[in-house]
Amino acid sequence: MSVLVYIDQSDNHVKKSAYEVLTYGAKLAAQMGTTAAGIILGKVNDNLAELGKYGVTTIHQVSQESLNQLDTQVAAKIIADAAQAIGATVLVFSQNHSGKAIAARVAARLKAGLVAGAAGLPDTSNGFVVKKTVFSGKAFANISINSPIKVIALNPNSISAVAGEGSATVAELNISVNAPKVTITAVNKITGEIPLTEADIVVSGGRGLKGPENWGVLLDLAKVLGAGTACSRPVGDAHWRPHHEHVGQTGVQVAPNLYIALGISGAIQHLAGVNRSKVMVVINKDPEAPFFKAADYGIVGDLFDIVPQMTAEIKKIKGIA
Amino acid sequence: MKILVCISKTPDTTTKIAFKDGNTQLDENGVQWIINPYDEWYSLVRAIELKEKDPSAIIHLVTVGGADCDPIIRKALALGGDEAFRINADSADSYFIAAQIADLANKNGYDLILTGKEAIDYNSAAIGGMVAELVGAPYLSLATLFELSGNTATITREIEGGEEVATVDLPVVVSCQKGMAEQRIPNMRGIMAARTKPLQVIEPAAVDTLTSIVGFELPPAKAGCKMVAADNVAELVRLLHEEAKAF
C-alpha cells in the first residue's frame, strides 16, 4: 500500500503541475499512513532528487530517451507495471493534457476506479471519497472509489505546491518498454507566451475591446502582471485573437489565482471555463453584465480609460518604471 | 473503413444545475438534453466529412443509456451515420461505459473510434483513453485536425502551450475538439432518413462498476462582487494586492 505520482515533463523539464501532484501525493500518503513515490518517463535535465522536498521518498525513472515523446499506450503500460511492482494502491496524475489521457488508460488497465478532475484530497475516514468538479465547474460530486486500486487525476491549480526539506532517492526502474505506435513529427510551441493552463494570472478580453487593433491595453496589463492572455468565444470566432486563447466551456478551461475579464459580458458558457479561478475581476461598461454576479471585484466603466490606469498602478506597486 | 462515433447525452450548456433527493440526483426538471457538443460538432461531423470523401466508409454511432437517449441518437443519425447502437444500461461510471463501448468495438472491429474531448456533465475526459486501452489501440487526445492518407492518420493535437503533429496507423482512438470540423444543422432529408436508419438496442456486457456517486454539492455562494468606482482605479489595484493578495 503506497502512493505513486506521475511526474509530467516537457522539453526535458519537470512541469509545474508535477509539483502540485507530488505535494498532493505526499499529503495523501501521510493521511493514509504510508509513503509516496514519483515516476518519471524519459530523460530530464532537472535534479530529480530535489523533488524529495515535496514529500516523496523515491523517484522511479525509466530513462529511455524514446519516452520523451509521449505515446500514452506505452506510458500506461510502464506506469501500471511499476505500480504493481512497487505495490502502489493509489496513483495520482495531473488532469492536464497528457495526464488525463494516461490516467484513463492506466485506470482501465488496472481495473481501478478513476476520479478525473479531483478538487482536493480524499476523505478516507469512511471509505475513499474524492470531490471532483462536474457540470463544467457549476457543481461538485463526491465520488466513492470502491476498487482496491484507485486512480486520481487532480485539477491543475487546485492545491498549491508546498516545498519543504528533503531529498528523494532516484532509482532506475527495470521495466520492458514497448515500441511506440505514435510518431510525433512536429511540435509548435507558442514562444514568449505563458501557457494558459499554467498561468497564475489570466487577463482576458471580449467584444468590449471592439477590435483586434485595441488589444494593446490588455497586453500591457498582462505584461506587468506576468499574466497569460485569453479571450471570449466571439473574439476567437472573429479571429481577433488566435483560437488557443479562447477560454470557456468549449475552449480552454482555466483556474488561475486571478482572472481579469475586460469587456466580457459573462455568458454562462464563458463562466463554465473560468469559474474555478480564485479571484475574478470584471471591467465592463454595462452594469447589467451577468459577469458581475460571479465576480469578486468589479468596475463599471470604460475599459480603455480604466485598464491603462490599472497598469500604471500595478507598476507603482511593483516598482517598475 | 469502419468508424465508431461515441455519443453522450448531456444537459444543454445553459442549464442551471440543481439537485434533488438530498443532493444525490440531478434535478432534471426543465433540463434540455442535447448531444454532448464535442461529440456532435467535432467527432460526428468529422466522421461525416470522412465519409463524404470516401463513400465506402461506414459510420456507426454508440451511446450507453436508457430509452431516454433515443431522441439524442436519432438526432445524431439525422446529421449522418449509417447505424446506431444503444447499450441499454445506466451509464454508471467511466469504466463501465468505456468497457461497454470496447466490447462493441472488439466485436465489430473499427478502424477509427472518435469521442468528444470530454462530456460537459462529468468533465472526466476519460472515455477515449479507457476505450483505447481496452481495445489495445493508440490514443490521440484533444485533436484539432485529422487527415487520413491510406491507412495512416496525421493528427494535430493541443499540448500545453502549443500543438504537436503526430502520425499513427489505424486503428486509433481520437478525442476531438474545436478545429476538427464545423458545426452542422440536420436538414429535412437527414431527419426523414434517420427515422428508418437501424437503431439496435443491445443488452450490456457484464462489467463491474468501480466508483459510485455519494452526493453532489453546489459551490459556496460568492460573497458578492465588491464594486469600485470608475474614478478610483487605484483602490481596485490596492484591494487586489492587499486584500485578495492576487498579485
Side-chain angles (χ1 to χ4, degrees), chain A residues 32-274:
Chain A
M32 293 167 63
T34 180
T35 55
I39 181 165
I40 185 159
L41 309 185
K43 280 202 190 317
V44 282
N45 298 331
D46 303 332
N47 181 353
L48 292 174
E50 283 183 6
L51 296 177
K53 68 186 181 196
Y54 298 101
V56 291
T57 53
T58 312
I59 303 294
H60 301 284
Q61 185 175 21
V62 183
S63 61
Q64 288 195 20
E65 201 150 7
S66 67
L67 294 171
N68 283 46
Q69 292 209 329
L70 179 68
D71 181 325
T72 57
Q73 193 172 18
V74 175
K77 182 202 168 280
I78 297 171
I79 297 164
D81 286 356
Q84 289 184 318
I86 65 172
T89 50
V90 183
L91 288 90
V92 180
F93 296 81
S94 173
Q95 180 77 345
N96 64 6
H97 290 26
S98 47
K100 61 177 88 165
I102 306 170
R105 291 199 81 121
V106 169
R109 190 173 183 90
L110 293 172
K111 214 180 159 192
L114 167 71
V115 173
L121 285 162
D123 179 351
T124 49
S125 59
N126 180 20
F128 196 99
V129 178
V130 192
K131 186 190 274 195
K132 83 177 284 291
T133 49
V134 290
F135 299 106
S136 306
K138 292 180 205 166
F140 297 101
N142 288 303
I143 310 281
S144 169
I145 306 183
N146 307 322
S147 52
I149 299 178
K150 299 161 174 68
V151 179
I152 299 171
L154 178 70
N155 276 334
N157 283 347
S158 50
I159 69 160
S160 306
V162 181
E165 299 294 315
S167 174
T169 310
V170 181
E172 182 71 24
L173 261 184
N174 201 354
I175 280 180
S176 73
V177 177
N178 291 342
K181 292 182 194 163
V182 175
T183 309
I184 294 162
T185 55
V187 176
N188 307 313
K189 288 262 171 118
I190 304 146
T191 51
E193 281 183 35
I194 297 159
L196 266 184
T197 48
E198 292 186 8
D200 284 325
I201 302 177
V202 173
V203 182
S204 188
R207 271 180 297 193
L209 273 101
K210 299 195 177 88
E213 68 280 8
N214 297 328
W215 239 257
V217 289
L218 184 154
L219 297 176
D220 288 345
L221 176 61
K223 195 176 167 200
V224 294
L225 285 169
T229 56
C231 69
S232 66
R233 177 170 175 179
V235 166
D237 285 353
H239 303 292
W240 292 1
R241 297 296 295 172
H243 262 322
H244 68 259
E245 283 200 3
H246 160 208
V247 293
Q249 179 133 30
T250 53
V252 181
Q253 276 122 43
V254 294
N257 288 323
L258 176 61
Y259 183 79
I260 302 177
L262 307 176
I264 300 175
S265 65
I268 195 164
Q269 292 94 338
H270 183 78
L271 295 179
V274 303

Side-chain angles (χ1 to χ4, degrees), chain A residues 8 15 72-73 76 95-97 100-101 104-105 107-109 111-114 116 129 131-147 181-190 195 197-198 201 225 233 237 243 246 249-253 257-258 268-269 277-281 283 292-301 306 309-310 313-314 317-318, chain B residues 11-17 19 26 37-38 41-42 94-95 117-118 120-127 129-130 132-134 136-142 154 157-169 177-178 183 208-220 222 224-234 236-241 243-244 246-247:
Chain A
D8 199 6
K15 275 194 193 175
T72 57
Q73 193 172 18
Q95 180 77 345
N96 64 6
H97 290 26
K100 61 177 88 165
R105 291 199 81 121
R109 190 173 183 90
K111 214 180 159 192
L114 167 71
V129 178
K131 186 190 274 195
K132 83 177 284 291
T133 49
V134 290
F135 299 106
S136 306
K138 292 180 205 166
F140 297 101
N142 288 303
I143 310 281
S144 169
I145 306 183
N146 307 322
S147 52
K181 292 182 194 163
V182 175
T183 309
I184 294 162
T185 55
V187 176
N188 307 313
K189 288 262 171 118
I190 304 146
T197 48
E198 292 186 8
I201 302 177
L225 285 169
R233 177 170 175 179
D237 285 353
H243 262 322
H246 160 208
Q249 179 133 30
T250 53
V252 181
Q253 276 122 43
N257 288 323
L258 176 61
I268 195 164
Q269 292 94 338
S277 308
K278 292 205 176 66
V279 177
M280 288 199 277
V281 179
I283 314 290
F292 286 114
K293 290 200 177 70
D296 302 282
Y297 298 94
I299 292 184
V300 177
I306 292 164
Q309 293 183 53
M310 286 178 75
E313 290 295 329
I314 292 163
I317 289 175
K318 292 195 157 192
Chain B
D12 183 74
T13 53
T14 57
T15 304
K16 194 166 185 304
I17 297 298
F19 301 103
L26 177 69
Y38 298 109
W41 303 349
Y42 308 122
S94 303
Y95 179 77
K117 80 161 183 178
E118 66 180 49
I120 63 167
D121 49 5
Y122 287 95
N123 312 106
S124 293
I127 297 297
M130 286 187 170
E133 189 63 30
L134 294 171
Y139 174 50
L140 279 303
S141 59
L142 303 170
T154 302
R157 59 183 296 268
E158 189 185 310
I159 57 172
E160 262 114 19
E163 60 179 32
E164 68 183 17
V165 183
T167 56
V168 64
D169 286 345
Q177 63 167 336
K178 194 165 185 162
Q183 184 180 1
D208 292 334
T209 302
L210 307 176
T211 63
S212 53
I213 296 171
V214 179
F216 294 98
E217 293 170 27
L218 291 171
K222 283 258 177 185
C225 186
K226 201 173 261 188
M227 298 304 293
V228 177
D231 59 4
N232 200 1
V233 174
L236 174 73
V237 172
R238 189 194 66 78
L239 286 168
L240 292 178
H241 184 60
E243 183 180 84
F247 74 91

Side-chain angles (χ1 to χ4, degrees), chain B residues 76-242:
Chain B
L77 282 171
L79 281 162
D82 299 294
E83 187 173 350
F85 298 87
R86 175 168 66 78
I87 298 168
N88 189 29
D90 283 342
S91 47
D93 75 350
S94 303
Y95 179 77
F96 180 88
I97 297 166
Q100 300 300 337
I101 294 170
D103 189 59
L104 180 79
N106 281 331
K107 280 176 189 151
N108 289 350
Y110 297 100
D111 304 294
L112 176 61
I113 300 177
L114 299 177
T115 72
K117 80 161 183 178
E118 66 180 49
I120 63 167
D121 49 5
Y122 287 95
N123 312 106
S124 293
I127 297 297
M130 286 187 170
V131 169
E133 189 63 30
L134 294 171
V135 303
Y139 174 50
L140 279 303
S141 59
L142 303 170
T144 55
L145 289 170
F146 178 95
E147 297 300 336
L148 198 58
S149 170
N151 196 44
T152 303
T154 302
I155 295 159
T156 304
R157 59 183 296 268
E158 189 185 310
I159 57 172
E160 262 114 19
E163 60 179 32
E164 68 183 17
V165 183
T167 56
V168 64
D169 286 345
L170 303 183
V172 63
V173 180
V174 179
S175 90
C176 308
Q177 63 167 336
K178 194 165 185 162
M180 281 290 267
E182 290 296 326
Q183 184 180 1
R184 291 187 183 186
I185 295 164
N187 57 30
M188 193 45 79
R189 219 179 94 215
I191 293 166
M192 297 303 284
R195 291 186 185 169
T196 53
K197 285 180 183 172
L199 193 176
Q200 279 194 50
V201 178
I202 50 181
E203 289 310 308
V207 170
D208 292 334
T209 302
L210 307 176
T211 63
S212 53
I213 296 171
V214 179
F216 294 98
E217 293 170 27
L218 291 171
K222 283 258 177 185
C225 186
K226 201 173 261 188
M227 298 304 293
V228 177
D231 59 4
N232 200 1
V233 174
E235 173 63 7
L236 174 73
V237 172
R238 189 194 66 78
L239 286 168
L240 292 178
H241 184 60
E242 293 175 12

